[in-house]
Amino acid sequence: MAESNKYEVQVTRDVKVPMRDGVLLSADIYRPKGEEAFPSIIVRTPYGKTSDVIHNNGCFFAENGYSVMYMDVRGRGDSDGVFVPYRNDGIDGYDAIEWMAAQPWSTGKVGTLGGSYLGRIQWLTALTHPPSLKTMVPLVTPSDPFVEWPTGLPNTQHICWTYMTSGRVMQNVDVVNWNEVYEHLPFIDMDEKAGRRSEQWREEISHPYLDEWWKHICYQDKFDQIDLPVLHISGWYDDEQIGTPLNFIGMTRGNGKGNGEDYKERDARPYQRLLMGPWPHQLNRSTKIGQLDFGPSALIDMNQYQLRWFDHWLKGIENGVNEEPPVDIFIMGDNEWRQESNWPLARTKWTSFYFHSIGKANSRFGDGVLLEKAPSGVTPEEGAKGKADFDQYLYDPANPVPFITEMVSSQIGGPDDYSSVERRDDVLVYTTAALSDDVEVTGPVKAELFGSTDALDTDFMVKLIDVWPNGYAQRLTDGMVRGRFRNGMDSPELLEPGKIYKFEVDCWNTAHVFKKGHKIRVEVASSAFPKYDRNLNTGAELGVTTEMKVANQTIYHDEMHPSSIILPIIPR
């Protein structure tokens, strides 16, 4: 070793690694110089293995005593074969791990690392049970189909990702007018509007509910088949955030067996760790997202954090990883880190905040109120004064409610100011009084809407907002339900016009303190464009039509239909 206690690094480019079907995948290998064997870390990517970030990370882990493989997935970069997202990555991952473990400069113990696409394929690989795989570090990991985008269609901005990963090299997304592309109908033709036809895009749209084609690449229903220690990492403003807490919950409640000798008959539940920071999909790059700065502690040394994990699970170093609380979360508002023993937090006080109005909650200038008190019936006197126990608005797909975001798919939304969007009459707004004390909301957020429509199918969106004293309406988290999928993504059923339904809306997770003087606000609308595709309200087959219908929407908040948002309040 060098005097700095770091190993000198040697890099070998474009190593051809054979898969079981004879296809050769290209890998760059970073490892300490010499003949000594070291544990291995594998990162498999569709985004190219030649960036400065990859080179620096490869050198970091090699300097610290690891042999590291960065591999182009099948059909991307310098690898042979055809790129079909996720379809080959499980068995290719198995073959890459076992090839790496068999090299003379590997101890035979392998960990995997990577974010987004690179995170999800770690789970698909784990399900193939490579014997040499000992631990995983998946970051900002996408969920199973339709968990993040429960519309039956890819999210609108997925066409940008599909375009970017077309062919073998990264395509330039900055030369496309994405706003025009997203507005194009029918949805299935957006690829041609972008200028590059994609059979993958069209295949996905031809499967508008959870069928066997999609189930082939599901993993979140199989945690009982995985017994690995896993370090789960994401950010509160990651646009695929929902997957990481779900995976942590799934693994702490699951109990897989038989994934290699070291873990045979071992219960993996105690060996999970969750890290959630104040970050977007591009993790840990800045203390700021948009206009908000989360303070100097928002950034951590991510390489060192991951190194401690690998040192324990691949080198057997007793560095305290398994003696610390398993949950590290950043509490926004207070802007500080906190360790917890579980997720959701055991001390959570699940609290319903109910919608109230006198029938005109439209826009932030309306009369919508958010109270812990459940609604009661309208008295005759109140009825005579015009009080109503419901609110109505018109949803026109030709004029959808905007979701504030950059147009490319690298990050969808953030802690943006929705005060201008809340001027619209097709947005219902319910707000508490100014808070007399700080209120912490940390955990999963759910909404229960009682609603009806005159359409055969429509959407309802719910957004949780922190209203600052200066009027800044900070988006925290949101979610949606598509009417025809109210009973599940594998059970589409159109709505009966005029019938009142109870819609349950998963609004994902947050960890945030509403400060004294701020207000808690909920928005309800029927579009969030372009985050979600527009429901055209006709009940027709999804993605292939252009006909639109304006829908008359009603949200109820009476004694029998108490619409609410359920917040995970943490006692201070």
Side-chain angles (χ1 to χ4, degrees), residues 547-560:
E547 180 185 356
M548 300 183 188
K549 169 185 166 59
V550 176
N552 189 359
Q553 317 288 62
T554 304
I555 296 296
Y556 298 87
H557 43 76
D558 58 50
E559 190 171 8
M560 298 297 294

Side-chain angles (χ1 to χ4, degrees), residues 507-527:
C507 296
W508 299 19
N509 306 268
T510 193
H512 180 79
V513 175
F514 292 82
K515 305 302 285 185
K516 179 180 178 180
H518 289 223
K519 300 174 183 178
I520 302 172
R521 174 172 290 170
V522 173
E523 293 177 14
V524 178
S526 287
S527 47

Side-chain angles (χ1 to χ4, degrees), residues 417-443:
D417 181 4
Y418 274 81
S419 57
S420 61
V421 174
E422 293 168 352
R423 300 177 71 93
R424 296 173 58 116
D425 284 343
D426 55 355
V427 179
L428 302 182
V429 178
Y430 303 93
T431 311
T432 67
L435 300 174
S436 56
D437 294 292
D438 291 356
V439 174
E440 181 180 336
V441 175
T442 294

Side-chain angles (χ1 to χ4, degrees), residues 8 211 248 449:
E8 292 186 48
D211 58 10
F248 177 80
L449 298 184

